[in-house]
Amino acid sequence: MKVEEKRAREDRAPEMGSPVVARPPLAVRIGPFSAAVERRGAVAAVVLAAVAAVLAFVGLCRGDAWDAPGEVFAALAGHGDAAFVVQEWRLPRVTAALAFGAALGAAGAVFQNLTRNPLGSPDVIGLDAGAYTGALVALTVLSGTSVQLAAGSVAGGLAAAVVVYLLSLGSGLGGLRLVVIGIAVNAMLTALNSWIVLRAELEVAMAAVGWSAGSLNGIGWEDLRLPLVILAALAVLLAALARPMHQVAVGDDLAVTSGVRLSGYRPLVVLAGVGCTATVTAVAGPVVFIALAAPQIGRRLAGAAGVPLLPAALTGAVLLLVADLTAQTVLAPVALPVGAVTTVVGGGYLLWLLVREVRR
């Protein structure tokens, strides 16, 4: 026994004259695990991108009738009778589903990382409803141009975020209190939106009610030019914030020690998350539950401890493409609003998540 203790002391003691080097046993153990997690995340991202590409091509084949893949390839090259339909009708819709789904998934990842809560999603804590309020004000008070709708949506989403943050200051950005306050703010904003619609003129009210369901029907290239530019700029910003975002998700203290300036980080990441949500809302209306479910599904596929941005964005694109194809097929030739499908599926997911969080 004494010999073993002596050997253990000799293993721990450095040689005379040699520098004392702290051994990182945890790093040795975590290193291969971290590399495995990164490889799994990369594989998940590639698989999700491939699934999104396949679904996008299926969306190009889907219209009033199914077109053969060869005809769609020819139409994309500008040949055949279906060229105009594919390029001007179906391609903008598929592009919107890809871009908007990715934006909603990324926005959900931003706020779930920020709140460290799987319920911290823009459509749960009132940011979607706030963006819709801003868009309704631009639609009813102003002339309702695309720039006004985008600006009004961002302003409304930011205002809702500020209100939720101020009311939950006592518990910080994490915890169930913020989610409960966000649900209450969401309910009040929903009531305000209903009042605005009831007070509006008949034509505006009918357009607003149809828009509130969240729909990709009738979207053309003229509707997507400005939103795609905004989302591309926000994607660059989120890519720059990805590393500090994962550090903050571990804890504020560890993030500060690793060099993250929380005072500058939080306003930027909130602006990026609200911008993604508001841009989608300004064009397609509030498409709910994609931002709630996509980050958690992407996190489980990637096997990550936090909520990684890329898997969340790709999962959001896949979910919205599936929902839009379902909306076009269920009652064909009548196309449902995509928000109706996401509400049905997402409502059950939200109930399961609420029960799980309450039990925890």
Side-chain angles (χ1 to χ4, degrees), residues 39-236:
R39 285 196 298 270
R40 179 174 171 180
V43 171
V46 171
V47 172
L48 286 169
V51 172
V54 171
L55 290 171
F57 186 75
V58 173
L60 293 177
C61 297
R62 179 71 178 91
D64 293 337
W66 289 92
D67 291 334
E71 295 179 359
V72 173
F73 279 120
L76 290 174
H79 307 296
D81 297 334
F84 179 82
V85 173
V86 171
Q87 292 184 7
E88 299 298 327
W89 291 357
R90 298 179 190 172
L91 188 57
R93 182 173 188 142
V94 169
T95 303
L98 283 169
F100 293 171
L104 292 174
V110 164
F111 287 103
Q112 289 180 17
N113 273 318
L114 198 62
T115 61
R116 304 186 196 113
N117 194 315
L119 288 170
S121 173
D123 42 9
V124 174
I125 61 176
L127 305 189
D128 270 14
Y132 183 47
T133 303
L136 281 178
V137 171
L139 193 64
T140 56
V141 177
L142 305 175
S143 56
T145 63
S146 58
V147 175
Q148 292 172 349
L149 286 173
S153 297
V154 173
L158 286 175
V162 170
V163 170
V164 173
Y165 173 73
L166 292 177
L167 291 177
S168 60
L169 273 179
S171 61
L173 286 176
L176 194 60
R177 177 180 174 179
L178 181 142
V179 175
V180 174
I181 290 173
I183 292 173
V185 171
N186 189 22
M188 290 186 288
L189 287 173
T190 301
L192 175 61
N193 294 340
S194 298
W195 180 81
I196 293 175
V197 171
L198 289 173
R199 298 287 297 177
E201 297 181 359
L202 181 59
E203 294 80 3
V204 176
M206 292 175 63
V209 169
W211 187 41
S212 66
S215 177
L216 300 179
N217 298 337
I219 285 183
W221 290 119
E222 65 279 1
D223 303 312
L224 292 179
R225 291 189 181 95
L226 179 61
L228 290 179
V229 172
I230 295 174
L231 291 179
L234 292 174
V236 173

Side-chain angles (χ1 to χ4, degrees), residues 227-274:
L228 290 179
V229 172
I230 295 174
L231 291 179
L234 292 174
V236 173
L237 177 59
L238 286 175
L241 295 173
R243 184 173 178 272
M245 186 183 305
H246 296 315
Q247 292 171 332
V248 172
V250 176
D252 290 352
D253 295 336
L254 291 176
V256 170
T257 57
S258 62
V260 179
R261 296 178 57 185
L262 295 179
S263 59
Y265 158 79
R266 282 195 173 122
L268 279 178
V269 76
V270 169
L271 178 62
V274 171

Side-chain angles (χ1 to χ4, degrees), residues 262-304:
L262 295 179
S263 59
Y265 158 79
R266 282 195 173 122
L268 279 178
V269 76
V270 169
L271 178 62
V274 171
C276 288
T277 301
T279 302
V280 175
T281 303
V283 180
V287 181
V288 295
F289 293 119
I290 297 293
L292 176 69
Q296 292 302 310
I297 296 174
R299 180 181 70 85
R300 285 169 171 78
L301 291 175

